[in-house]
Amino acid sequence: MLGILRLMIAFSLIIAAVYGVIYLWTGVLPEHGLKVLATVAIVTVLSLAIMVLSKPASGSKNS
């Protein structure tokens, strides 16, 4: 479960770094930047919810 969270955080940081470079280069941020990061946040929350709901109970044994 921590793997997907690390992946999404790394992906968000890469996107933020790209927008930082764009801001340093042009002096303005693209208008759709917040929408992109919001979409990544929604995908992260949905993937974590799916992982938590699909995780087997701690007492059950899968053989």
Side-chain angles (χ1 to χ4, degrees), residues 27-48:
V28 294
L29 286 174
E31 296 176 6
H32 62 278
L34 185 60
K35 291 179 184 178
V36 170
L37 291 177
T39 303
V40 171
I42 290 170
V43 169
T44 302
V45 169
L46 287 176
S47 62
L48 287 174

Side-chain angles (χ1 to χ4, degrees), residues 10-31:
F11 190 56
S12 298
L13 288 175
I14 290 171
I15 292 172
V18 168
Y19 282 118
V21 169
I22 290 171
Y23 178 73
L24 288 175
W25 195 328
T26 63
V28 294
L29 286 174
E31 296 176 6

